[in-house]
């Protein structure tokens, strides 16, 4: 199982050689440092604890900083534990983006964008009330939940009842995303599709649970070739040059018409 923690940068559009556009998301993953390794022989299960995102020591308390001083690395902001691992890491090793390869399938986990306290219509897509004259204000009220007297006689709110409340900021996993590109120089991983969370949020990339060992590599246009194609298209579709050419043609046609008319009058 492969895994790494990174920061969502944003979305971008890539192109295949056949012209097909692919929506993709860029994730910046600075090297994750291994803080602790647990083995089944010694601890009864396998797990790896890693640290991510370097920060100053005064941003964390002494117990947190002590974990990193023990390993001999700088303080990291986040500590994440991966269980049921099969990788052979040692304490102090770094997990980098080149762990993954283009074409692999991964699962990306993150927290969705928080939307605060919202009503049931926005939160659960309920239907609004009547908008006709005399309906009053309750266009966006939830209405009866049918759990009091005259309803089910429960006189309580059942668990899981869809009502107003805190919306968003939930842990969500996008499964079976394809690794399009891996840039080891800039510590970037580009995956297909959208991933949960706003730009700048921390996400976790792990090997896919459903498509284990499967690979589908896309034939993408490189940035160098893409720039060359765009430059050639700009030359072919230069609007200013085309406008100037059209004006010159119009002037020549006007002069020709004027000359012919004058010559006819003289005759």
């Amino acid at each position: 199982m492969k895994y790494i923690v990174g920061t969502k940068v944003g979305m971008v559009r890539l192109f295949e050689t056949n012209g097909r556009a692919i929506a993709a998301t860029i994730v910046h993953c600075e090297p994750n440092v291994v803080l602790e390794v647990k083995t089944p022989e010694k601890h009864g299960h396998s797990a790896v604890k890693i640290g991510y995102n370097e920060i100053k020591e005064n941003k964390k308390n002494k117990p947190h900083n002590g974990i990193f001083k023990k390993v001999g690395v700088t303080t990291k902001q986040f500590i994440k534990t991966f269980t049921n691992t099969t990788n052979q890491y040692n304490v102090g090793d770094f997990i980098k983006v080149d762990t993954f390869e283009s074409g692999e399938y991964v699962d990306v986990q993150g927290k969705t964008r928080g939307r605060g306290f919202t009503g049931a219509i926005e939160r659960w897509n309920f239907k609004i009330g009547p908008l006709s004259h005399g309906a009053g204000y309750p266009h966006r009220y939830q209405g009866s939940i049918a759990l009091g007297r005259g309803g089910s006689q429960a006189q309580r709110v059942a668990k899981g009842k869809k009502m107003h409340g805190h919306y968003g900021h939930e842990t969500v996993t996008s499964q079976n995303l394809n690794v399009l590109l891996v840039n080891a120089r800039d510590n970037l991983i580009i995956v297909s599709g959208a991933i949960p969370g706003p730009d700048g949020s921390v996400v976790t990339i792990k090997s896919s649970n459903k498509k284990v060992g499967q690979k589908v590599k896309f034939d993408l246009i490189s940035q160098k070739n893409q720039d060359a194609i765009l430059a050639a298209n700009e030359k072919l579709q230069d609007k200013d040059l085309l406008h100037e050419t059209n004006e010159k043609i119009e002037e020549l046609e006007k002069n020709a018409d004027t000359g012919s008319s004058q010559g006819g009058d003289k005759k």
Side-chain angles (χ1 to χ4, degrees), residues 9-218:
V9 177
M11 295 197 69
V12 70
R13 183 171 60 173
L14 302 179
F15 293 91
E16 290 186 86
T17 53
N18 58 8
R20 176 172 171 263
I22 302 176
T25 305
I26 302 175
V27 182
H28 179 260
C29 306
E30 70 175 37
N32 297 181
V33 61
V34 178
L35 303 176
E36 185 180 357
V37 178
K38 294 183 178 180
T39 58
E41 296 79 11
K42 190 174 182 180
H43 300 89
H45 67 282
S46 60
V48 174
K49 183 185 292 185
I50 62 96
Y52 170 72
N53 194 21
E54 182 177 348
I55 58 172
K56 296 180 180 179
E57 290 187 9
N58 57 4
K59 297 294 183 180
K60 293 291 183 178
N61 54 24
K62 288 184 178 180
H64 185 96
N65 294 333
I67 298 174
F68 300 93
K69 287 183 178 180
K70 183 179 179 181
V71 181
V73 295
T74 56
T75 301
K76 308 294 181 181
Q77 183 177 4
F78 302 101
I79 297 176
K80 177 78 174 178
T81 301
F82 296 95
T83 58
N84 299 325
T85 59
T86 57
N87 306 76
Q88 299 296 326
Y89 288 115
N90 297 319
V91 175
D93 291 347
F94 287 94
I95 304 174
K96 301 181 180 180
V97 294
D98 54 9
T99 304
F100 294 90
E101 298 177 0
S102 298
E104 289 183 318
Y105 283 98
V106 294
D107 296 338
V108 183
Q109 186 181 81
K111 283 193 175 292
T112 60
R113 186 186 301 273
R115 293 169 175 82
F117 191 95
T118 63
I121 292 174
E122 182 179 355
R123 190 182 184 192
W124 301 109
N125 198 27
F126 282 179
K127 184 179 179 181
I128 63 174
L131 299 176
S132 60
H133 178 71
Y137 178 72
H139 308 307
R140 301 183 65 85
Y141 284 2
Q142 180 176 352
S144 174
I145 60 175
L147 289 172
R149 292 186 181 275
S152 64
Q153 302 296 329
Q155 300 185 37
R156 63 183 179 86
V157 179
K159 283 187 177 182
K161 186 66 179 176
K162 293 182 179 180
M163 301 179 67
H164 50 266
H166 186 248
Y167 178 39
H169 198 66
E170 298 177 336
T171 301
V172 175
T173 302
S174 296
Q175 296 182 328
N176 305 328
L177 303 181
N178 188 277
V179 178
L180 299 176
L181 291 173
V182 176
N183 187 341
R185 185 189 64 180
D186 299 324
N187 297 324
L188 298 176
I189 296 179
I190 303 179
V191 297
S192 61
I195 63 177
D199 295 348
S201 60
V202 176
V203 297
T204 301
I205 302 176
K206 298 186 291 185
S207 300
S208 175
N209 287 329
K210 294 182 178 179
K211 295 188 177 182
V212 181
Q214 297 185 29
K215 287 187 178 182
V216 175
K217 195 168 183 178
F218 292 89

